[in-house]
Amino acid sequence: MGIINYLVEINSFYSWIAYNPLSVQAQSLWHLLMNINNRCSLRVQQNGRAWRVYFTAANTVINNVLGFTNKMQLKRARDELIEAGRIEYTCGTKSQCGTYKMIPFDGRVREGEAEGEKVWITVSTGNDIEGFVTNPLPIPLQNREHYININNKYKDLGSGGMCECMYDEHKEKKLFTAEIQKMIRECWGCSPTEQDYTKALGLITKYDRRERKTYLDSDALGLLEYAFRQSAYYKACNWRYIDGIIQRLRNLGITTADEAEAEDVRRDIEKEGRI
């Protein structure tokens, strides 16, 4: 058993944020809350200090440190982190500060108890890897029945609900960017920018109402590729046109490239029947 690793959490945050954009204010708030959580850690005999699961932070202190000029700036940043699954928050009262709970990235971290308080502890899995990130995806992996890897194969997570298998985030990123690069070069005849990668990821997740298991979803990428081919054919090489195509298909209940092509055939037959 060990204590939470601050450096692992920081490195994991930047791996995660590459595909989960946050505002500058939300990023700053996350870092400040991590610092406060670290500074109010509990002294324990065996392991030195342990991070408390729940801790308080005064709004006035946060506003002063981050330079927020009104309470809505803090609320928006906090709500953004809550929605992203990075913190939990309970409102305080007039005489008591609100209570925060950081959501660790390290899959080995569990809630434990020390000196009568809830603390974060790191449990050895027998195959520990420094910097192991459990949830760099657009939607966290907690409370899911399966995890889909880059080869589109399923691995059972068991009843624990937290992915204990190794997730190669760097290979996922490389494959994702390669797919988008290929689409843009072949269909638009230019090299993609960082903004293109961000827009592509946003479109893949925008219209999918299911719990997403990975941004390398073959059906979603296939539908995006279909939209790129359509944009090239009609010489409308822009993201607004791509978005419009995918939105129209989603409204028709179409989620794969095969279904989209079948719809094209159906429309062509219908047009020929009217001529």
Side-chain angles (χ1 to χ4, degrees), residues 134-137 139-144 147 157 161-163 213:
T134 60
N135 51 355
L137 304 181
I139 298 178
L141 287 168
Q142 292 95 325
N143 303 322
R144 298 187 185 176
Y147 163 75
L157 292 182
M162 178 70 76
C163 178
K213 300 173 178 64

Side-chain angles (χ1 to χ4, degrees), residues 199-266:
K199 287 181 183 267
L201 178 59
L203 283 178
I204 285 177
T205 57
K206 180 178 179 180
Y207 299 106
D208 199 332
R209 298 296 181 252
R210 301 171 300 170
E211 279 200 341
R212 177 158 302 283
K213 300 173 178 64
T214 175
Y215 53 78
L216 277 180
D217 181 274
S218 57
D219 289 340
L221 282 174
L223 201 62
L224 185 60
E225 184 178 7
Y226 167 86
F228 266 99
R229 293 199 305 267
Q230 290 291 303
S231 72
Y233 180 81
Y234 290 104
K235 301 186 186 307
C237 302
N238 60 77
W239 283 106
R240 180 176 295 182
Y241 190 82
I242 295 285
D243 190 2
I245 292 175
I246 295 179
Q247 183 174 11
R248 177 180 63 82
L249 295 174
R250 291 295 189 184
N251 290 341
L252 292 173
I254 295 173
T255 59
T256 68
D258 289 340
E259 291 174 351
E261 290 170 356
E263 173 64 12
D264 289 342
V265 172
R266 186 196 65 78

Side-chain angles (χ1 to χ4, degrees), residues 147-155 172 175 213-214 216-219:
Y147 163 75
I148 184 170
N149 68 10
I150 58 174
N151 297 314
N152 211 33
K153 304 294 184 181
Y154 285 91
K155 292 184 179 181
E172 284 263 5
L175 290 174
K213 300 173 178 64
T214 175
L216 277 180
D217 181 274
S218 57
D219 289 340

Side-chain angles (χ1 to χ4, degrees), residues 3-191:
I3 60 176
I4 196 167
N5 190 316
Y6 200 159
L7 183 58
V8 167
E9 293 300 310
I10 296 294
N11 289 335
S12 299
F13 175 76
Y14 284 106
S15 294
W16 174 85
I17 204 173
Y19 301 104
N20 299 266
L22 291 176
S23 67
V24 173
Q25 291 79 10
Q27 293 180 48
S28 299
L29 177 59
W30 183 88
H31 280 286
L32 178 58
L33 291 175
M34 283 290 291
N35 179 262
I36 294 172
N37 199 178
N38 179 46
R39 291 168 60 187
C40 71
S41 57
L42 178 69
R43 184 180 296 279
V44 293
Q45 294 181 351
Q46 291 182 336
N47 298 307
R49 305 193 70 88
W51 286 36
R52 288 180 166 89
V53 174
Y54 299 100
F55 64 97
T56 60
N59 291 345
T60 52
V61 172
I62 295 175
N63 288 335
N64 288 337
V65 173
L66 299 183
F68 291 161
T69 56
N70 60 73
K71 63 181 181 180
M72 288 308 299
Q73 286 180 289
L74 173 56
K75 185 180 186 305
R76 283 194 294 267
R78 185 167 55 217
D79 289 346
E80 198 174 341
L81 290 175
I82 293 171
E83 186 177 349
R86 298 275 40 99
I87 67 169
E88 293 179 7
Y89 175 73
T90 303
C91 291
T93 62
K94 289 185 178 180
S95 60
Q96 186 177 8
C97 300
T99 302
Y100 290 88
K101 175 183 177 181
M102 308 300 294
I103 306 301
F105 287 97
D106 192 337
R108 302 166 299 172
V109 174
R110 302 286 188 272
E111 287 189 28
E113 191 169 310
E115 306 296 331
E117 291 192 45
K118 285 190 175 182
V119 297
W120 292 116
I121 59 174
T122 303
V123 180
S124 175
T125 62
N127 185 30
D128 291 342
I129 300 174
E130 205 62 23
F132 173 53
V133 184
T134 60
N135 51 355
L137 304 181
I139 298 178
L141 287 168
Q142 292 95 325
N143 303 322
R144 298 187 185 176
E145 296 178 357
H146 294 90
Y147 163 75
I148 184 170
N149 68 10
I150 58 174
N151 297 314
N152 211 33
K153 304 294 184 181
Y154 285 91
K155 292 184 179 181
D156 186 36
L157 292 182
S159 59
M162 178 70 76
C163 178
E164 296 291 346
C165 57
M166 179 59 188
Y167 173 72
D168 194 340
E169 185 257 341
H170 294 291
K171 190 174 291 186
E172 284 263 5
K173 178 182 178 181
K174 185 176 180 180
L175 290 174
F176 174 76
T177 54
E179 288 290 332
I180 302 305
Q181 186 179 74
K182 180 181 177 182
M183 292 180 200
I184 292 179
R185 283 182 173 174
E186 290 183 356
C187 298
W188 290 1
C190 61
S191 297

